[in-house]
Amino acid sequence: LAAEGALAESMVKFAAPGGTMDAFFVHPAKGKHPAVIMWPDIASLRDAFKVMARRLASAGYSGIVPNPFYRDAPAPQFADFDAFRKDDGFKKVGPWMAHNTPDAVAETSKAVVAWLDKQPSVDTKRGVGVQGYCMSGSWTVRTAAAVPGRVRAGGSFHGGNGWVTDTPDSPAKLFGQTKASYLICVAQNDDKQKPDVKDAIKAAADAAKRPASVEVYHADHGWTVPDSPVYNEGEANRAWTNLLALYSKAL
């Protein structure tokens, strides 16, 4: 492990369904701390998410950023979001995305939590947090449903409008299978497209008796990620503060 101030970090690998997971793991250099899974957006594990994970670790958490496309290609698949846009990223990632079925995300989540629980820096007496961005926003509840005995908090940031569908495995229908509390931060342009989604998410959480803050932020899809073209520092920091408050209470 390479020391970074009071932090320790490394790229790690471990067995996961369908391949070998590669991930970035960072935590305070001393002690045991609650584990947090940080699922990245569609441009995957890259420097921007390492920066975010270090910030999380500095707040007292053992954070992991898994490569969501580990079945197909090791990270980094793109240097940054600009490279994703210039490299026809959506076309390249399409087949990889197809492998991340709801069942696959659940099974991968189980493998990540199992690995975390073996790490000396993880306090297994405390709950696990999970946060997701854009494509992985709804993975927060999928992870919480996959490992309900461990995941106690979930943060979703500009998760798009895939939260509410007619399928049985719709993310909004999974709240009842979890034991977590939630922070769901909606992008203003996503809300403008489908203003009923936030209400359906809140109603589903309430029906499942899961605590959930569902709020539209004054920023566009992608606003919390530093290398995003629509990064909004003020609203990103507000979302981050709310996330840490959730973790402090729930983990």
Side-chain angles (χ1 to χ4, degrees):
L1 288 174
E4 165 120 356
L7 303 180
E9 66 177 60
S10 61
M11 288 298 297
V12 300
K13 292 184 179 182
F14 54 91
T20 299
M21 169 62 74
D22 55 308
F24 178 68
F25 185 49
V26 58
H27 54 84
K30 297 180 179 179
K32 292 179 177 289
H33 309 273
V36 175
I37 301 167
M38 182 184 288
W39 290 116
D41 61 21
I42 197 166
S44 193
L45 167 55
R46 59 193 189 278
D47 285 348
F49 275 89
K50 291 181 179 181
V51 168
M52 293 163 69
R54 292 184 188 112
R55 184 181 183 187
L56 184 69
S58 295
Y61 298 92
S62 292
I64 190 170
V65 187
N67 168 14
F69 306 130
Y70 71 93
R71 290 174 177 82
D72 295 281
Q77 295 93 358
F78 307 95
D80 53 31
F81 202 83
D82 193 47
F84 172 86
R85 296 167 75 198
K86 292 178 178 176
D87 196 21
D88 204 4
F90 284 104
K91 183 176 181 180
K92 181 178 283 189
V93 166
W96 305 347
M97 281 286 293
H99 294 152
N100 282 323
T101 63
D103 285 345
V105 171
E107 292 305 309
T108 300
S109 297
K110 292 176 185 177
V112 173
V113 172
W115 184 86
L116 285 168
D117 279 349
K118 295 175 184 174
Q119 305 313 306
S121 65
V122 170
D123 185 352
T124 57
K125 295 178 182 177
R126 307 274 295 275
V128 172
V130 58
Q131 55 204 71
Y133 298 80
C134 299
M135 75 157 189
S136 65
S138 61
W139 292 18
T140 53
V141 72
R142 295 200 186 282
T143 302
V147 201
R150 292 293 288 121
V151 178
R152 289 287 183 268
S156 171
F157 302 94
H158 36 87
N161 293 320
W163 268 90
V164 180
T165 68
D166 294 330
T167 60
D169 54 15
S170 169
K173 296 177 182 176
L174 299 178
F175 283 115
Q177 299 176 31
T178 77
K179 298 178 181 178
S181 301
Y182 296 90
L183 173 72
I184 298 171
C185 304
V186 182
Q188 62 185 3
N189 53 341
D190 289 334
D191 183 62
K192 191 172 182 179
Q193 287 180 0
K194 294 187 177 181
D196 57 330
V197 166
K198 64 180 180 299
D199 301 320
I201 293 173
K202 182 60 176 171
D206 288 348
K209 295 182 170 58
R210 298 318 314 154
S213 167
V214 183
E215 181 185 352
V216 179
Y217 280 64
H218 302 295
D220 289 337
H221 189 95
W223 89 84
T224 65
V225 182
D227 68 353
S228 166
V230 298
Y231 178 65
N232 182 312
E233 185 176 11
E235 286 293 79
N237 284 333
R238 189 165 74 88
W240 189 266
T241 298
N242 290 337
L243 178 71
L244 292 186
L246 171 67
Y247 285 167
S248 178
K249 183 178 180 180
L251 305 184

